[in-house]
Amino acid sequence: MKTGNYDENRLLHLLLDMGEMLLDSGAEIKRVEDTLQRIGCAYGAARMNVFVITSSIVITMEKMNGELLTHTKRVNYTGSTDFTALEQLNALSRNCCMNPIPMDQFQRRLHEIAEPKGQRDLYIGSILGAGSFAVFFGGNPADGIAAALVAVLICFIQEKMTKLFANTIMFNLFGSFVVGIVICLMVRLLSFLNLDKIMIGDIMLLIPGIAATNSIRDMLMGDTISGMMRLIESILWAGALACGFMAAIWMVRV
């Protein structure tokens, strides 16, 4: 890497973007910090000091001459999970550590990973997941089909309306209310359907299970602040889901 400030500043900008993408893909805090530290050292830094929480990333690069360079980024954590993007980012980090690539190529690879991907797999997985859970928890085949149909609505809401809300809590409240209304109306029209079985199948697509699991893992790894933040956020998201479904049941009065 060149020793000019331009390249070093550009590297830190790319590392901040990469850290945000890792968090948004569901990576735990230790993984994000370790990845950014290793890449920075691979590009010639004498030492990298990285501090990550779910809402902020701070990177301080110590150059060979002792000069310090610090960059900070505010992160809008959504609690989403994308294992495909996470795998691609891990592969990119290993590539950069073994054989540092030019900045232009690094930036291009990040943009390719960040590009929106087809939603077909999301729809298929959601349909199979919601239908299977509805049957698994005691529902009949009709409940499974109904839950699978509602899963399409859930995916559509997640795809088209997420950016319309200021935070995940409000989105979960809105999404669960709309989904709850649809399920309640289906049950009123088709009396052979079981409300609880359909709801439990579809709510499995919305609960922040991985975020809650990562929060416990972060705390066990010593990242107590991030772990507590994730845990509180997960509880609030789950509470918003419960309130949305309860409001829908109360309004339709099934």
Side-chain angles (χ1 to χ4, degrees), residues 14 17 21 25 82 84-86 88-89 92 95 101 103-118:
L14 293 176
D17 291 340
M21 292 170 64
S25 300
D82 187 342
T84 300
L86 187 58
Q88 293 173 341
L89 290 168
L92 175 60
N95 187 5
I101 60 178
M103 293 289 100
D104 290 337
Q105 185 178 349
F106 193 175
Q107 185 174 16
R108 185 169 61 252
R109 292 278 297 276
L110 285 179
H111 286 168
E112 290 173 355
I113 296 172
E115 286 180 355
K117 303 174 181 63

Side-chain angles (χ1 to χ4, degrees), residues 70-86:
T70 300
H71 282 214
T72 304
K73 184 168 188 175
R74 175 71 166 87
V75 177
N76 295 317
Y77 178 67
T78 62
S80 60
T81 304
D82 187 342
F83 287 126
T84 300
L86 187 58

